Amino acid sequence: MSATQAALTELLPLAGDTFDKNKVTPGILGFIVFAALALAVWGLMKSMSRHMGKVDFQEAPEAGAAAAAPAADRAP
């Protein structure tokens, strides 16, 4: 048995008795991870908004509408 396994087998029973399962919270590490994810999503949304603003999309007229428009101009 290695030293690491021996230490784990000695500490494992202590871990089961020391915390209350109803009072476990994510702590500061959970907050830091959540804040980092929130900042990443905010940055991605801002970048996407900037890139979508650069798009100059002109929709091509449909083939059926283009053919009907000159016919309607000639009728009256």
Side-chain angles (χ1 to χ4, degrees):
M1 206 169 176
S2 71
T4 306
Q5 288 176 340
L8 287 176
T9 55
E10 289 179 16
L11 294 176
L12 191 58
L14 295 175
D17 298 334
T18 57
F19 69 91
D20 184 10
K21 290 182 180 179
N22 295 326
K23 294 184 180 180
V24 176
T25 62
I28 191 72
L29 180 64
F31 174 75
I32 291 171
V33 169
F34 182 77
L37 287 172
L39 285 173
V41 168
W42 177 76
L44 285 171
M45 292 295 291
K46 188 168 182 158
S47 174
M48 184 186 69
S49 177
R50 237 180 316 168
H51 282 86
M52 292 300 288
K54 291 180 183 179
V55 173
D56 186 25
F57 179 72
Q58 295 292 327
E59 187 172 341
E62 295 179 16
D73 291 337
R74 286 183 274 151

